[in-house]
Amino acid sequence: MPRAGGSRCPTLGYVTERYPDQWEADVVLSDGGTAHLRPIRADDAELLRDFYARLSPESIYYRFFSPRPHLSDRDVAHFTGVDHDRRVALIATIGEEMVAVVRYDRVGDQPGAVDGDRPETAEVAFLVEDAHQGRGLGPVLLEHIAAAARERGVRRFVASVLPDNRRMTRVFREAGYRAEQRFEEGVIELVLDLEPTDTSLEVMTAREHRAESRSIQRLLFPGSVAVIGASRAEHSVGQTVLRNLLAGDFSGPVYPVHPTAVAVAGVRAYPSVLEIPDDVDLAVVAVRADAVHEVVEECASKGVRGLIVVSSGFGEIGDDGRGRQEELVRLARAYGMRVVGPNCLGIANTDADVRLNATLAPTMPGRGPVGFFSQSGALGIAILQRTAERGLGLSTFVSAGNRADVSGNDLMQYWEEDPATKAVLLYLESLGNPRKFARLARRLGRRKPIVAVKSGRSTQGVPIGHAARALTLPDHAVSALFEQAGVIRVEDLSELFDVAQVLAYQPLPAGDRIAIIDNSNSLGLLAQDEAVALGLDVRPRIDLGPRAGADDYEAALASALADETVDAVVALFTPPTIGGYDVRVPEKIMRLAARAEKPIVATYLGKEGMPADLRVTGPDGMPAEGSVPSYPSPEDAVRALAYVIRYAQWRQRPAGRTPELDGVDRDRARALVAAWLPPADVAGAEGGPVEVSSEQAVELLACYGIDVAVGAGGGGVPTRIVIREDHSFGAVVSFGIADETAALLDDRAYRLSPLADVDAAEMIRAIRTAPLLLGHRGAEPVNLAALEDLLLRASRLGYDLPEVARLELSPVMADASGVTVRDVTLSLARPLGPRPELGPRRLS
């Protein structure tokens, strides 16, 4: 294979170059299916001939501007003989068939030309099989061929398109690149500048969102389900899933697959998925791990759209299982299928038109506004049981198990547009693509709250079944990055449900001012102490006394809801030790809550026969809008409310912008880094970091408008800025005071690069020692604007240059007049590839 080394093309007479690993990718198409992209190879001749034979005369004419019913041997040799530099071709395959090809050829290029003579312009052309046109292959191929071209020094594409070929013209025009167009001799000629623009990145992100969302929708809304491995043995995995599908009254047909049984659980069975007479949209696979491969091949032949693999024996058991798991995903994606699992609990959709319970869970919560993603299969049953016990309704539920393919990122793409989902809950044991998670969460969080339990705090867990490395950032740094993205990170499952109950059924608060209404001084003080400890502003605390009844609570609650200085209410009620007991108290609270525009939480210590929760129920008996979450203790109620208040404040803050910085010369910076980095075989077997000289570091910083006065004196507060390239999160910025105490306490603020203006401002104020910068004990505050500007410039440098393994500015002396960088250290390393968010779409 060319990737492994160079080889000579016998027809064209030049030596082919190896191609980078990232030129191969699995991609999601606009209809939710998948395809595999890779460079064309010399042994693809027959694949190309078969592809060409399926093309319509119109598609051929649009590509070659003339009839060409057959490809000659020389044509085939020409199209498959590329050098992955001056001539590059990428193909898309689904199963064993080529379905599309894109290629570029440098304009005016000559074999044997040296690197400096290589043209920066190339002609580009597409050809997509008729049956697969309209599935988004053209746009995704353009993204990948453009990325390959940029890596090889091509800066512009020229495309010649017939005026009638509107679909291809639209592919180029809608890509978001800077483009010029002219019309000559009956042909439209388009010139594309391949430098990514804000528009091209937005277009790519929007297409990624729609495609991945659609791929999840296909899983959650199947028209039919096959259970492969539906055993007749009671309590077996296959029969359990089958019985849950039937008990849940799935809206479509269910097909048990068993090699010998005529029927399973009273439903006609088939010996193979291939023998099912009708279409199968979703297959639940519950066979031995070593039999899964054959089942996936049969599902591919049947045209199944998605797989739920509940079978174990994959990545969770070690290297042998990991290889089996990788092959499972490779095969499924190659044939257009997404995979949930393996080693998972399954998926559920409570939509009345679907009623899908393809899980191993005996208890399924009712319909509600919460989407739930759980990485754990074993814990999933307990999670669903607790969800039902809390009366929390779900829209959809996905347990991903080993998360070999479908992940929480995919579900966030789907839930962003799902009108049935109001809030998102995540139980995460690891983060497969943390940077993408942060990007998606930040966008989704502006519309819908995300609550996450991230376990593995002590180990920063490696994804189950993956060969990925553990997260290298400390846990509090991960929490800071979650906070930057607007994610509500809670400590445990109990807090997860506590917070979810507020978000699902109560409005968001406008601020942090809370009123506490109680009939017990002890309860009220507990709530007040917790609120103050969490930084909330307790306005009126209304102690109604032990004899307070329903009318007293109604009046006090109505007054608090009408008070413009109150943003949320905590209602506490306990039965009196003597005297009468007014059973109407919860009814009054619920009635006011149903009309309130402020959130209300409660601690209701009822006696036997009294409701322990304050729920407004819908026609299906599930809690509805206006239900008041009730907690066993005042502290729990206040804590849940505090999480929601902090989220509401994040959502109210401006999203900020990444400002354009003057005095930045990115081209020179990139040239310097390229010149200083030694070849890969010199930098070490793993391309380890190489520390550059102080003079070189100063020169690079100057490209971003950062002046360094090495060894200069001067007073002020010593601060420290570090940019590091994390293999999971990308460029991460940390900021803190540069002294031993701050280092001992690890008093650092963390954010992802590039920083928005609001991020820089928040970082400075986020550290515990921030008062030293803000004018502690009468001292003059430092120049915060200058410090923020330095953070923005340093973060932009780290983002633009993934070769920067570590950049430390310390000490940076800050005073009222400005900032002075007194020392700098810089290490460079070869990146694994371009930043994912700047590169073409791909499944990780």
Side-chain angles (χ1 to χ4, degrees):
M1 238 177 107
R3 179 172 49 175
S7 62
R8 179 167 296 278
C9 175
T11 304
L12 301 176
Y14 52 72
V15 176
T16 64
E17 300 287 341
R18 70 178 63 190
Y19 64 83
D21 289 347
Q22 66 263 22
W23 286 17
E24 289 200 36
D26 294 320
V27 297
V28 183
L29 305 181
S30 59
D31 62 357
T34 57
H36 183 69
L37 307 187
R38 63 169 174 82
I40 202 166
R41 301 192 294 255
D43 59 4
D44 286 328
E46 288 307 311
L47 204 63
L48 177 61
R49 290 183 192 276
D50 292 343
F51 163 70
Y52 198 83
R54 297 192 301 272
L55 296 173
S56 68
E58 181 183 55
S59 291
I60 293 172
Y61 188 84
Y62 280 156
R63 168 62 178 89
F64 296 107
F65 296 5
S66 65
R68 184 182 274 189
H70 305 288
L71 292 178
S72 67
D73 290 344
R74 182 171 180 81
D75 289 334
V76 172
H78 174 76
F79 290 136
T80 58
V82 295
D83 66 355
H84 306 298
D85 182 8
R86 293 169 172 83
R87 301 180 66 247
V88 172
L90 305 178
I91 66 172
T93 62
I94 298 178
E96 301 299 324
E97 294 182 344
M98 178 192 303
V99 296
V101 61
V102 63
R103 62 185 305 110
Y104 80 68
D105 297 80
R106 291 183 191 262
V107 175
D109 196 20
Q110 299 294 325
V114 298
D115 286 352
D117 297 331
R118 294 184 303 176
E120 294 186 341
T121 301
E123 291 181 345
V124 66
F126 292 83
L127 195 51
V128 179
E129 184 180 335
D130 297 68
H132 295 278
Q133 291 177 9
R135 300 188 65 197
L137 279 163
V140 76
L141 281 170
L142 178 57
E143 292 173 18
H144 281 260
I145 197 73
R150 287 193 295 268
E151 290 181 36
R152 297 309 197 204
V154 175
R155 303 295 175 226
R156 289 171 297 279
F157 275 165
V158 176
S160 298
V161 185
L162 291 174
D164 289 344
N165 194 357
R166 295 182 181 87
R167 179 171 283 169
M168 190 51 60
T169 304
R170 193 162 55 246
V171 168
F172 290 115
R173 286 176 175 168
E174 295 178 356
Y177 297 112
R178 287 181 287 271
E180 299 177 4
Q181 177 179 322
R182 53 179 175 266
F183 187 77
E184 292 182 2
E185 299 180 356
V187 175
I188 298 173
E189 186 172 274
L190 293 160
V191 180
L192 301 182
D193 184 335
L194 298 184
E195 183 68 23
T197 66
D198 289 342
T199 302
S200 70
L201 295 176
E202 289 171 4
V203 167
M204 185 171 61
T205 298
R207 286 171 172 164
E208 173 194 65
H209 168 64
R210 289 193 297 268
E212 293 181 2
S213 173
R214 176 60 179 148
S215 75
I216 298 304
Q217 185 181 42
R218 294 192 346 164
L219 292 169
L220 291 171
F221 287 83
S224 58
V225 179
V227 180
I228 304 172
S231 170
R232 288 178 295 183
E234 193 174 359
H235 304 306
S236 64
V237 171
Q239 187 178 109
T240 299
V241 175
L242 176 63
R243 289 192 179 278
N244 288 342
L245 276 165
L246 298 174
D249 193 24
F250 174 60
S251 59
V254 177
Y255 304 106
V257 175
H258 187 284
T260 59
V262 176
V264 179
V267 181
R268 179 186 174 183
Y270 298 86
S272 162
V273 70
L274 295 173
E275 297 190 38
I276 297 173
D278 301 312
D279 291 339
V280 175
D281 291 333
L282 180 67
V284 181
V285 181
V287 300
R288 297 188 323 274
D290 58 4
V292 168
H293 185 95
E294 181 180 354
V295 167
V296 175
E297 288 182 327
E298 292 179 349
C299 288
S301 299
K302 180 64 179 176
V304 174
R305 291 185 166 190
L307 302 173
I308 302 172
V309 182
V310 296
S311 308
S312 58
F314 290 88
E316 77 279 2
I317 66 170
D319 291 341
D320 290 343
R322 185 174 296 116
R324 188 183 295 128
Q325 179 170 301
E326 291 171 354
E327 179 59 20
L328 158 66
V329 174
R330 185 202 65 77
L331 183 61
R333 288 178 176 176
Y335 282 91
M337 297 180 287
R338 299 298 306 269
V339 179
V340 178
N343 189 34
C344 73
L345 185 72
I347 69 174
N349 183 354
T350 62
D351 189 295
D353 293 331
V354 184
R355 303 183 301 277
L356 174 71
N357 180 9
T359 76
L360 295 168
T363 302
M364 182 55 58
R367 184 70 170 166
V370 174
F372 204 137
F373 173 85
S374 171
Q375 189 173 330
S376 170
L379 195 59
I381 293 177
I383 287 174
L384 287 174
Q385 184 175 352
R386 292 183 67 176
T387 303
E389 290 170 353
R390 290 286 192 113
L392 195 63
L394 298 183
S395 59
T396 43
F397 170 82
V398 173
S399 162
N402 292 6
R403 207 196 62 230
D405 179 22
V406 170
S407 70
N409 289 347
D410 295 294
L411 270 297
M412 288 197 295
Q413 297 275 36
Y414 170 74
W415 283 322
E416 183 176 351
E417 303 298 334
D418 178 30
T421 301
K422 180 181 175 182
V424 170
L425 305 185
L426 306 174
Y427 177 80
L428 305 172
E429 295 177 345
S430 59
L431 294 170
N433 188 338
R435 192 168 186 91
K436 182 175 181 180
F437 172 85
R439 171 170 60 87
L440 297 181
R442 183 174 241 179
R443 191 181 69 210
L444 172 59
R446 289 286 168 185
R447 301 177 57 184
K448 301 176 182 181
I450 305 166
V451 191
V453 175
K454 166 63 175 72
S455 63
R457 288 175 181 267
S458 59
T459 60
Q460 292 297 290
V462 178
I464 296 175
H466 288 255
R469 293 164 289 179
L471 300 182
T472 58
L473 296 176
D475 185 70
H476 69 89
V478 176
S479 292
L481 300 181
F482 273 35
E483 183 180 354
Q484 182 186 8
V487 176
I488 305 170
R489 186 182 185 184
V490 295
E491 296 295 322
D492 51 40
L493 287 172
S494 293
E495 286 193 350
L496 182 82
F497 293 118
D498 287 348
V499 176
Q501 286 179 282
V502 183
L503 295 170
Y505 305 115
Q506 289 289 306
L508 291 178
D512 63 355
R513 303 167 299 179
I514 70 168
I516 298 173
I517 302 173
D518 64 79
N519 68 339
S520 163
N521 187 56
S522 299
L523 284 180
L525 287 175
L526 287 173
Q528 180 173 306
D529 288 348
E530 184 70 13
V532 171
L534 293 171
L536 303 183
D537 183 359
V538 180
R539 288 307 172 98
R541 189 194 142 220
I542 307 168
D543 184 359
L544 299 176
R547 295 185 179 275
D551 293 337
D552 300 306
Y553 267 90
E554 182 179 36
L557 183 56
S559 175
L561 293 174
D563 189 340
E564 294 183 355
T565 67
V566 172
D567 301 308
V569 180
V570 179
L572 311 174
F573 180 78
T574 185
T577 55
I578 58 173
Y581 186 86
D582 196 335
V583 297
R584 298 174 302 139
V585 170
E587 297 174 3
K588 295 284 189 179
I589 294 175
M590 284 190 293
R591 188 176 299 117
L592 287 172
R595 305 190 302 268
E597 297 180 355
K598 300 174 182 179
I600 303 171
V601 297
T603 290
Y604 181 72
L605 303 180
K607 67 176 183 179
E608 187 176 353
M610 293 294 293
D613 205 356
L614 312 180
R615 300 179 187 172
V616 176
T617 56
D620 57 358
M622 291 300 297
E625 196 80 22
S627 294
V628 179
S630 180
Y631 301 93
S633 74
E635 295 94 333
D636 291 338
V638 172
R639 195 178 304 117
L641 183 60
Y643 277 119
V644 175
I645 286 172
R646 284 196 289 271
Y647 164 71
Q649 290 174 328
W650 174 86
R651 192 156 139 175
Q652 291 163 6
R653 288 197 297 267
R657 62 183 184 87
T658 304
E660 286 296 324
L661 303 170
D662 55 18
V664 173
D665 189 344
R666 292 183 179 85
D667 291 338
R668 175 166 171 71
R670 288 168 179 153
L672 289 174
V673 168
W676 296 338
L677 260 181
D681 56 351
V682 175
E686 298 180 359
V690 176
E691 187 167 334
V692 303
S693 69
S694 177
E695 291 77 14
Q696 289 173 317
V698 169
E699 186 178 4
L700 183 65
L701 289 172
C703 296
Y704 280 79
I706 300 174
D707 296 324
V708 181
V710 177
V717 180
T719 63
R720 177 173 176 259
I721 297 172
V722 176
I723 315 292
R724 57 177 292 190
E725 184 70 18
D726 183 84
H727 67 82
S728 296
F729 284 99
V732 178
V733 188
S734 68
F735 171 79
I737 300 297
D739 65 18
E740 290 300 322
T741 303
L744 183 65
L745 298 174
D746 199 15
D747 185 19
R748 302 278 181 262
Y750 294 84
R751 295 292 186 273
L752 290 183
S753 180
L755 296 179
D757 47 10
V758 295
D759 294 327
E762 288 174 359
M763 283 191 81
I764 295 171
R765 295 159 177 81
I767 57 176
R768 285 168 285 175
T769 45
L772 296 175
L773 302 169
L774 304 177
H776 183 57
R777 292 185 176 179
E780 190 173 11
V782 306
N783 188 328
L784 295 176
L787 197 52
E788 290 169 14
D789 181 72
L790 178 60
L791 275 167
L792 289 168
R793 291 178 183 277
S795 87
R796 191 73 219 190
L797 183 153
Y799 181 75
D800 289 344
L801 306 173
E803 297 86 353
V804 174
R806 192 173 191 278
L807 170 67
E808 179 173 346
L809 310 180
S810 179
V812 175
M813 305 306 297
D815 58 25
S817 64
V819 295
T820 303
V821 181
R822 291 177 51 183
D823 201 3
V824 56
T825 57
L826 172 65
S827 297
L828 303 177
R830 292 196 173 276
L832 297 177
R835 295 213 179 280
E837 62 268 33
L838 298 179
R841 289 173 280 158
R842 66 178 60 239
L843 285 168
S844 56

